[in-house]
Amino acid sequence: MISVAVDVMGGDGGPPVCMAGVETALESILDLSVIAVGRHSEIANLVEAMPTHLANRVRVVDAPDVLAPDVTSLAAVRGGQHSSMAIAIGEHRLHKAQAVVSAGSSTGLMTLSRHLLGMAPGVERPALMTRLPTQKGFVWVLDLGANVGVDAQRLHEFATLGHASMAHRGQQPPAIGLLNIGTEKNKGPDVLREAARLLSADESLHYVGFIEADQVFQGDVDLVVCDGFAGNIMLKSAQGGVRLVLSSFEHQLETDWIGRAVGWFVRSRWEKVCETLNPANHNGARLMGIEGLVIKSHGSADASGFAKAIFLAHGEATMAGQSTVQGTTDQWMEHEQ
Amino acid sequence: MISVAVDVMGGDGGPPVCMAGVETALESILDLSVIAVGRHSEIANLVEAMPTHLANRVRVVDAPDVLAPDVTSLAAVRGGQHSSMAIAIGEHRLHKAQAVVSAGSSTGLMTLSRHLLGMAPGVERPALMTRLPTQKGFVWVLDLGANVGVDAQRLHEFATLGHASMAHRGQQPPAIGLLNIGTEKNKGPDVLREAARLLSADESLHYVGFIEADQVFQGDVDLVVCDGFAGNIMLKSAQGGVRLVLSSFEHQLETDWIGRAVGWFVRSRWEKVCETLNPANHNGARLMGIEGLVIKSHGSADASGFAKAIFLAHGEATMAGQSTVQGTTDQWMEHEQ
C-alpha cells in the first residue's frame, strides 16, 4: 500500500475539486491510500459522500490554516506551520506518507519542503520538473517556476538534477538543451551563454546546445533546462496554443450539421489526440533536489487533472520503494495508457 | 502602387524561398511592386523564371554582402553597409520603397533600422510587435525578440508604443496585460513588479494587470507587453504546441482507413482551423518605435509565410499613405480572409 499525503485546500477549486481528484485516484489505483489534509469541517462531509470502499482508504488530518496563493517565502516559514501544506509535508517527513501532493502556492511548497525535508546533498535550490508531449514522444523540462532569475551555476545544477533523475529511470544519458531564443552561440542573455560554457565543460553531461521553444515540441532533445520564469512561460504558452486548436476544432464540428452528423466518427479519432496532448492530462511536476517526494499540481487543475498529480506521486513512490534511488514515472505512464 | 524593398538573402531558405514568397505576394496584390535586394547573380535567374507580368513589377538591386544570422550589433553597423539588409533599408530611407521586409538577423535589422532610419521622438529602443490568434480573435504582443533584458521604463515604453499603434488603427484603447508567471502582485521578477507600478500609474493606459501565457491565448487582453526573451519563448512555444496538435491529428487521419475514407470531409473543416491557427499564416512582426516601416519575417518562414510578411508590409504602407499617422493591418487582414 502506498500512502500519499494530499493538501486538499490548495488550488483554485479547493476541497471539492481536490477531493473529487482523490476519489478518481482511489478508484484507479487499488494500492493507494490518502491522507487528506485540510480543515476537517470542509472535508469530512466530502469523504462521507464517497463510496465506502474508497472512503475506507482516506484518513483526514485536520489543519486549521490555508496558505494564501500569493504567500511569500518568509510568511510561509514564519506563519505557515499550521497550514494544510505544512502538515501534509510533515506527514511525509514522519514517514506516514511516501509522497506529498499540493496544488497550492509554488513558493510555499518549495520553501516549506526545503525547510521541513531538507535539500539533497550538494544541491542549493529545488526545481520543478515535468514531462511534456512532443512529436517524438516526451521531453523532460526543469525548472518550471520554482526559481525566477537564477545564475549559471544553478542552471548547471538543474541539468545535473535532471540528468541524474533520468539515469535513475534507466534511460540513456539524456540529450540536454538549454532554452534560448536562438541556437547561435551569441544569442540570449549573458547568464545563458555562461551556463552553456559550464554545461559544455561538464563531461558527465550530454549537452547539445541552445534550443528554441518550438524545437522543444519537435522532440529534438530529451531534457530542457531553463530558469523557472522561461520554463513557466513555455509550458503555459504551449498549453494555451494546444487549447486554442482543440476548442477551434470542436467549434468547427459543432456549428456544422455535417460535422454533427459524422461527429461520432471524427470525435473518436480526435479524442485520441486530445488524450495525448490535452494539458490537463499532463498535470503534476516533481520538486527535484529535495530529500523527499513532493508533487506540485497546477493550481487551476480540475478533478481529473488533480488525480493525475496523485498518479504521479503514487508512481514515483512505488519506484522509490523498489530501488534505493529516485523513483520513476513508468507506472504513471501506464496509468495514462 | 506600393513599393516594398525586400532583403531576399535573409532567412534559412535564402533567395529561392524569399523570391517564391515575392512571387506569391505579387500574384495576390495587384498594386504591389518589389525591390529585390541581394546578390544579382543569385536573384536574376529567379526573376527571369517568373511570369513576365509579375517579373515586370520586380526591380533587382545588387548587394554584395549578406549579414550572418548571428551578427552582433557592432558588426552590423561597422561592416554591414553593403549587406542586402542595409541596402534594402536604404531604399526605404531614400523613399524609393514605402516599407522593408527581411527574414535576416533580428539584431541586425534592429540595429541597422535604428542607425539608418532613426528612432521616433522620445523612444529609446525599438520593439517587435505582431498579432496572434486567440479564442476571442486576436491579441497584439510586443516585444518579440528585439530586446533581451529590459528595465521597467522600457516595458512602459513598449506599452505606450503598442497603445498608440492600436489607437491609430481606430480601435478602442487596448486592455494591456504584462506577461508574468502568475497574476498575484508579488509574482515574478522585480522588474515586472516595477513595470506594473509604472503602468498602473499611467492614466493614459488601460492597464489590467499581470497575465499568464495561457490566458494570452484565451483572449483576456488586447495587448501583451513583455521583454523580447519572454515574448519570443511565448510565441515559439505556442507555435510548437499548435504544430504538435496539427501533426498529431493529421497522423491519426492518415494511419486509419476510415480516416482516409472520410478524410475529404474532415479535412475541409480541419483546414479552416489550420488556416486560422497555423503559425506560418501569422508571419511578420513590425519594428515599432522606428522612423519607418520595417517588417521582420521569421527566419524559418517558407515561401507562403514570407509572402505573409510582404502582405503585412503592403497593408501597413497602404494605411500609412491614407493617414498621416501609423498604418494599420486591416488590409492585410482582408488578404487573409
Side-chain angles (χ1 to χ4, degrees):
Chain A
M1 207 72 168
I2 298 281
S3 171
V4 175
V6 180
D7 165 16
V8 298
M9 304 303 289
D12 305 344
V17 166
C18 290
M19 289 306 295
V22 165
E23 184 169 340
T24 302
L26 288 167
E27 267 171 2
S28 306
I29 313 178
L30 297 181
D31 69 336
L32 170 72
S33 68
V34 166
I35 303 174
V37 186
R39 288 201 188 100
H40 194 277
S41 57
E42 293 183 41
I43 310 171
N45 60 334
L46 295 169
V47 177
E48 268 172 37
M50 281 186 190
T52 316
H53 71 288
L54 301 181
N56 286 344
R57 286 192 273 139
V58 180
R59 179 163 67 86
V60 174
V61 168
D62 188 42
D65 295 344
V66 179
L67 285 192
D70 60 350
V71 70
T72 61
S73 290
L74 199 65
V77 172
R78 283 204 184 154
Q81 66 267 37
H82 301 301
S83 66
S84 55
M85 191 188 280
I87 292 174
I89 296 171
E91 293 289 308
H92 180 37
R93 183 187 182 175
L94 296 170
H95 303 292
K96 292 180 185 167
Q98 283 105 304
V100 190
V101 175
S102 176
S105 151
S106 294
T107 305
L109 193 63
M110 190 175 87
T111 308
L112 290 174
S113 298
R114 204 173 167 175
H115 191 68
L116 296 171
L117 303 171
M119 297 297 297
V123 180
E124 188 79 18
R125 299 178 73 146
L128 281 168
M129 179 165 161
T130 197
R131 55 172 209 161
L132 302 175
T134 72
Q135 294 194 12
K136 293 174 192 160
F138 289 93
V139 61
W140 291 87
V141 184
L142 84 169
D143 175 37
L144 286 166
N147 305 275
V148 169
V150 297
D151 58 17
Q153 282 74 27
R154 290 297 80 71
L155 290 169
H156 181 214
E157 189 172 288
F158 295 166
T160 309
L161 280 174
H163 172 93
S165 160
M166 292 178 77
H168 288 151
R169 286 164 213 273
Q171 293 174 11
Q172 293 291 316
I176 302 175
L178 200 52
L179 184 65
N180 200 346
I181 61 171
T183 53
E184 301 88 2
K185 284 192 176 173
N186 68 338
K187 281 279 174 165
D190 293 341
V191 63
L192 289 182
R193 292 199 289 272
E194 173 61 16
R197 275 191 290 274
L198 294 179
L199 292 176
S200 302
D202 185 340
E203 289 182 3
S204 67
L205 302 177
H206 177 26
Y207 174 65
V208 297
F210 290 141
I211 185 165
E212 295 191 63
D214 52 342
Q215 297 172 315
V216 169
F217 297 93
Q218 289 167 23
D220 289 0
V221 298
D222 307 309
L223 177 66
V224 174
V225 172
C226 51
D227 97 321
F229 188 81
N232 197 284
I233 298 281
M234 181 178 80
L235 174 73
K236 289 185 180 159
S237 178
Q239 291 178 340
V242 168
R243 283 207 192 94
L244 180 60
V245 183
L246 301 186
S247 69
S248 299
F249 191 52
E250 287 288 332
H251 182 73
Q252 273 293 323
L253 291 182
E254 274 164 24
T255 54
D256 181 312
W257 71 268
I258 315 183
R260 284 195 299 272
V262 303
W264 64 270
F265 162 76
V266 176
R267 260 171 231 286
S268 67
R269 271 65 187 168
W270 181 239
E271 274 164 10
K272 282 189 198 172
V273 176
C274 294
E275 244 174 63
T276 316
L277 301 181
N278 196 321
N281 290 340
H282 295 277
N283 187 38
R286 178 165 178 176
L287 204 52
M288 306 297 293
I290 290 285
E291 284 284 16
L293 209 169
V294 180
I295 302 293
K296 167 84 176 93
S297 160
H298 197 293
S300 69
D302 61 8
S304 150
F306 194 69
K308 289 287 193 298
I310 301 174
F311 290 169
L312 176 59
H314 174 269
E316 298 266 318
T318 304
M319 295 313 288
Q322 286 167 4
S323 67
T324 53
V325 296
Q326 257 171 331
T328 90
T329 61
D330 292 350
Q331 188 149 354
W332 175 51
M333 294 181 193
E334 277 161 29
H335 283 309
E336 287 190 310
Q337 280 152 15
Chain B
M1 204 75 166
I2 299 282
S3 171
V4 175
V6 179
D7 165 16
V8 297
M9 305 302 289
D12 305 344
V17 165
C18 291
M19 289 305 296
V22 165
E23 184 170 337
T24 302
L26 289 167
E27 267 171 2
S28 307
I29 314 177
L30 298 180
D31 70 336
L32 170 71
S33 68
V34 166
I35 303 175
V37 186
R39 291 203 187 97
H40 194 276
S41 57
E42 294 183 40
I43 309 172
N45 59 336
L46 295 169
V47 177
E48 269 171 34
M50 280 186 189
T52 317
H53 71 286
L54 300 180
N56 286 343
R57 287 192 271 141
V58 180
R59 179 163 67 86
V60 174
V61 169
D62 189 42
D65 295 344
V66 179
L67 285 191
D70 60 350
V71 70
T72 62
S73 292
L74 199 65
V77 172
R78 283 202 183 155
Q81 67 267 37
H82 301 301
S83 66
S84 55
M85 190 188 281
I87 292 175
I89 297 170
E91 294 290 308
H92 180 36
R93 184 186 181 174
L94 296 170
H95 303 292
K96 291 179 185 168
Q98 283 106 304
V100 191
V101 175
S102 177
S105 150
S106 294
T107 305
L109 193 63
M110 189 176 88
T111 308
L112 290 174
S113 299
R114 202 172 169 177
H115 190 69
L116 297 170
L117 303 171
M119 296 299 298
V123 180
E124 188 79 18
R125 300 179 72 148
L128 281 168
M129 178 165 160
T130 197
R131 55 169 210 164
L132 301 176
T134 72
Q135 294 195 11
K136 293 175 193 159
F138 289 94
V139 61
W140 291 88
V141 184
L142 85 170
D143 176 37
L144 286 166
N147 304 276
V148 169
V150 297
D151 58 16
Q153 282 73 29
R154 290 297 79 70
L155 290 169
H156 182 215
E157 189 172 288
F158 295 166
T160 310
L161 280 174
H163 171 94
S165 160
M166 293 180 76
H168 288 150
R169 287 164 212 273
Q171 293 173 12
Q172 294 292 317
I176 302 175
L178 200 51
L179 184 65
N180 200 346
I181 61 171
T183 53
E184 301 88 1
K185 284 191 176 174
N186 68 338
K187 281 279 175 167
D190 293 342
V191 62
L192 289 182
R193 292 199 289 271
E194 172 62 17
R197 275 190 290 274
L198 294 178
L199 292 177
S200 302
D202 185 339
E203 288 182 3
S204 66
L205 301 177
H206 176 28
Y207 174 64
V208 296
F210 290 140
I211 184 166
E212 294 192 63
D214 52 342
Q215 297 173 316
V216 169
F217 297 92
Q218 289 168 23
D220 289 358
V221 298
D222 306 309
L223 176 67
V224 174
V225 172
C226 51
D227 98 321
F229 188 82
N232 197 283
I233 298 280
M234 181 180 79
L235 173 73
K236 289 185 179 160
S237 179
Q239 291 178 339
V242 168
R243 282 205 192 96
L244 181 59
V245 184
L246 301 187
S247 69
S248 299
F249 192 53
E250 287 287 335
H251 182 74
Q252 273 293 322
L253 290 182
E254 273 163 25
T255 54
D256 182 311
W257 71 268
I258 314 182
R260 285 195 300 272
V262 304
W264 64 269
F265 160 76
V266 177
R267 260 170 233 287
S268 66
R269 271 63 188 171
W270 181 239
E271 274 163 11
K272 282 189 200 169
V273 176
C274 294
E275 244 174 64
T276 316
L277 301 182
N278 196 321
N281 291 339
H282 297 276
N283 186 39
R286 180 167 178 175
L287 204 53
M288 306 297 294
I290 290 286
E291 285 284 15
L293 207 170
V294 180
I295 303 293
K296 167 82 177 93
S297 159
H298 197 291
S300 69
D302 61 7
S304 150
F306 194 68
K308 288 287 192 299
I310 302 174
F311 290 169
L312 175 60
H314 175 269
E316 298 267 318
T318 304
M319 295 313 288
Q322 285 168 5
S323 66
T324 54
V325 295
Q326 256 171 332
T328 89
T329 61
D330 293 349
Q331 189 149 353
W332 175 51
M333 295 181 194
E334 276 161 29
H335 284 307
E336 286 191 309
Q337 279 152 15

